[in-house]
Amino acid sequence: MPSKKRKKRGGERRVIHPRNKYSENPPDFGLLASLYPSFEPYVFYSLDGRPRIDWTDFNATRELTRVLLLHDYGLNWWIPDGQLCPTVPNRSNYIHWIEDLLASDLIPCTRGNSVVKGFDIGTGANCIYPLLGASLLGWTFVGSDVTDVAIEWANRNVKSNPHLSELIEIRRVDTETKIFDAEELQNKQKDNINSYVDSTNTVSVDMGPSPSFSLRSQSVKNSYHGPPVLVGVVKDGESFDFCMCNPPFFVTMEEAGLNPKTSCGGTPEEMVCLGGEEAFITRIIEDSAQLKHAFRWYTSMVGRKSNLNILTSKLWNVGVTVVKTTEFVQGQTSRWGLAWSFMPPSKKMLFSHVTEKKNLSFMLEITASQNHCNTILKSETQNENEAVQCKNELEISSTSNDNNCQSDDLQFRISVFQQIPGTLLVRSTLHQKESSSSGLFSLIFKQLEKVLKNKFCTERVSADGSCSNLRR
């Protein structure tokens, strides 16, 4: 079922996931006000008679979240003043997108457990993702955080819903554990840790046989130096189906308060960090490069579209096998979802992870036997003359190969470049460049192009909610 979309200059944007409870029926403020007296004072009616709330009033947005969670999900929920107040429809979109990723089987499940287990990085006092995931889908969760208030109220929200309390663990992050910086990395040489600084001032960590990652000195100043994110929080031997995160999007609280049209609260620990979301998500990427197969999928919300290219490039540099992105739209606010994995995909593909000009590519090596070619020719009915001509070429090529004792298989390479946003560039190369079967190759490529478009776009719809364009 396709997601609801709205027109935008230059294309379309996903508005809400089709399985989101509010996809067809947005919250009715008037109805909620009549059912919940505590919400009624915050509802007023515009000139056109539509019920509204003041989105710049934190108390109004918090009460709306409370009644939506109670009315639509049967959840008891509250947060103290100043804590980040989540919007329920947008958070539900993220949950359903992860559900799509898991259901796609692009990355097969290896945990051997039918119960999905997730990890919420920085669950906050609101604990919204574990509560939604547990109530909607029966998922189990570990939610981590660092502040006393967040840990206390997350636990309160879990205990207020005893039917879910056994599914959710709130885990305190050890704030005494320090994330060392580039200067300390150099000092660690004396402690037999393989680190070095090359002539370009790039500080690298030797991860053994794993693909290494690097941080340039220019960006080290803005790198993440806070408490542990995944490494040091995930316990030895633990495995998860996914992690998710609503990262600190901003560098300063002043930047966080630039939107005068909404008031969702938020503490400095929830909203800001040195380097903003790019630095924080980079830390998740670096942690994932160490934990690798401990998670089937690593995911994060991204607040700025410009960061998607930067982060995607970093992902390929650490050796991931697949990257997925999507867009979430809530009112006038857009957020993007970023997902990646180190596990081998279930699709029969040969992947190349060399990042060239910031383009992701994968490659298919295809050998088509004479029987395969004949089958394709028989199925081609759109251009009978072309099919007859290609069949003649095949017979000539086969005779020539017999005389020269060479294989009559047709060998060629298909390269697919996944570009952002959602575009596939498909290129083909015939290994036997002097072959007389060039017309046959063209016909086969047309058939393959149809298959790629149908199959690959269908998979992207199920995981991303948007179909790729296919370019030759």
Side-chain angles (χ1 to χ4, degrees):
M1 179 178 179
S3 57
K4 287 184 66 178
K5 297 180 180 179
R6 72 179 177 204
K7 289 287 183 179
K8 178 198 173 187
R9 263 183 215 176
E12 291 181 326
R13 306 168 75 189
R14 166 188 287 194
V15 175
I16 198 163
H17 193 283
R19 289 195 304 280
N20 193 311
K21 194 177 292 285
Y22 308 104
S23 175
E24 301 295 337
N25 299 293
D28 186 335
F29 296 161
L31 175 62
L32 293 172
S34 67
L35 296 175
Y36 301 95
S38 59
F39 183 58
E40 185 179 9
Y42 300 107
V43 176
F44 62 92
Y45 290 83
S46 59
L47 295 177
D48 60 4
R50 298 174 60 186
R52 300 179 180 274
I53 66 168
D54 181 2
W55 293 102
T56 65
D57 182 351
F58 173 79
N59 291 321
T61 58
R62 175 174 57 179
E63 185 62 18
L64 172 62
T65 297
R66 187 189 76 82
V67 298
L68 284 178
L69 290 174
L70 180 59
H71 183 74
D72 293 324
Y73 298 92
L75 294 171
N76 297 303
W77 178 91
W78 191 248
I79 54 172
D81 293 350
Q83 298 294 306
L84 182 64
C85 180
T87 54
V88 178
N90 185 271
R91 299 305 197 267
S92 299
N93 278 340
Y94 193 176
I95 290 288
H96 287 301
W97 181 54
I98 291 179
E99 182 188 10
D100 287 343
L101 288 173
L102 299 178
S104 71
D105 286 331
L106 176 61
I107 300 298
C109 180
T110 58
R111 291 185 58 244
N113 192 326
S114 59
V115 179
V116 173
K117 186 177 183 181
F119 191 102
D120 182 20
I121 302 170
T123 194
N126 59 70
C127 194
I128 188 68
Y129 290 129
L131 290 172
L132 285 176
S135 64
L136 277 172
L137 302 163
W139 292 349
T140 62
F141 271 89
V142 171
S144 67
D145 218 299
V146 298
T147 68
D148 292 338
V149 174
I151 295 295
E152 175 188 352
W153 279 90
N155 275 313
R156 284 195 188 188
N157 281 318
V158 171
K159 292 176 182 177
S160 295
N161 298 279
H163 61 297
L164 303 176
S165 59
E166 293 185 358
L167 300 178
I168 302 172
E169 173 196 343
I170 304 301
R171 185 175 298 178
R172 182 185 293 274
V173 175
D174 180 10
T175 57
E176 297 300 319
T177 302
K178 189 178 181 183
I179 302 296
F180 53 82
D181 57 19
E183 182 178 351
E184 290 172 305
L185 273 175
Q186 297 177 49
N187 293 335
K188 291 289 182 180
Q189 285 181 313
K190 300 179 181 179
D191 298 325
N192 296 321
I193 290 184
N194 295 324
S195 63
Y196 65 91
V197 181
D198 65 16
S199 59
T200 60
N201 277 332
T202 300
V203 180
S204 301
V205 179
D206 185 358
M207 303 300 294
S210 308
S212 61
F213 57 87
S214 61
L215 293 173
R216 294 200 173 273
S217 59
Q218 181 179 3
S219 61
V220 164
K221 296 179 181 178
N222 292 327
S223 61
Y224 179 76
H225 297 290
V229 177
L230 284 175
V231 173
V233 184
V234 175
K235 298 177 181 178
D236 292 342
E238 278 190 314
S239 64
F240 296 85
D241 290 285
F242 67 90
C243 70
M244 61 192 311
C245 181
N246 196 60
F249 294 126
F250 308 103
V251 178
T252 66
M253 286 300 287
E254 289 75 17
E255 181 186 5
L258 290 179
N259 187 353
K261 297 181 180 180
T262 61
S263 177
C264 294
T267 63
E269 291 82 2
E270 294 173 301
M271 304 290 284
V272 304
C273 78
L274 181 64
E277 69 174 12
E278 181 188 342
F280 194 91
I281 299 173
T282 297
R283 170 57 59 184
I284 301 177
I285 293 172
E286 293 168 352
D287 282 3
S288 71
Q290 296 186 54
L291 295 172
K292 282 192 167 59
H293 294 180
F295 289 80
R296 183 179 170 192
W297 285 100
Y298 297 87
T299 78
S300 179
M301 193 87 80
V302 180
R304 294 182 177 180
K305 189 175 183 179
S306 60
N307 283 332
L308 276 180
N309 283 331
I310 298 171
L311 295 168
T312 299
S313 178
K314 292 182 179 182
L315 285 170
W316 294 117
N317 286 337
V318 299
V320 301
T321 59
V322 63
V323 174
K324 290 287 186 178
T325 62
T326 193
E327 182 179 15
F328 308 115
V329 180
Q330 176 67 33
Q332 299 301 313
T333 302
S334 291
R335 293 285 184 261
W336 290 265
L338 178 64
W340 66 96
S341 181
F342 290 89
M343 293 186 176
S346 59
K347 309 305 175 188
K348 302 295 184 182
M349 294 180 180
L350 175 63
F351 283 87
S352 172
H353 298 300
V354 179
T355 303
E356 181 178 356
K357 297 181 180 180
K358 297 184 179 180
N359 283 335
L360 152 69
S361 66
F362 64 84
M363 182 178 63
L364 299 172
E365 291 280 359
I366 299 176
T367 300
S369 68
Q370 189 171 19
N371 288 336
H372 291 149
C373 295
N374 284 331
T375 300
I376 293 174
L377 289 174
K378 288 177 182 178
S379 66
E380 179 64 37
T381 58
Q382 291 182 350
N383 191 331
E384 186 174 345
N385 292 333
E386 184 180 11
V388 171
Q389 180 181 355
C390 290
K391 186 174 182 180
N392 293 333
E393 288 181 358
L394 180 62
E395 292 173 352
I396 295 172
S397 176
S398 177
T399 302
S400 175
N401 286 335
D402 288 340
N403 294 333
N404 292 287
C405 299
Q406 295 176 350
S407 170
D408 58 1
D409 291 345
L410 188 66
Q411 296 180 336
F412 54 96
R413 175 181 300 166
I414 300 294
S415 298
V416 180
F417 298 87
Q418 182 177 346
Q419 301 173 325
I420 294 176
T423 300
L424 290 182
L425 177 63
V426 182
R427 293 177 178 173
S428 58
T429 304
L430 181 64
H431 287 334
Q432 303 98 321
K433 295 183 179 179
E434 303 301 326
S435 172
S436 61
S437 302
S438 58
L440 174 64
F441 169 64
S442 177
L443 188 60
I444 292 176
F445 181 73
K446 288 179 182 179
Q447 291 281 7
L448 181 62
E449 186 179 30
K450 293 177 183 178
V451 172
L452 282 173
K453 187 172 183 179
N454 292 335
K455 299 293 185 182
F456 194 85
C457 286
T458 300
E459 290 167 7
R460 286 187 59 85
V461 168
S462 64
D464 292 346
S466 61
C467 182
S468 300
N469 298 317
L470 193 64
R471 296 180 179 178
R472 292 180 61 181

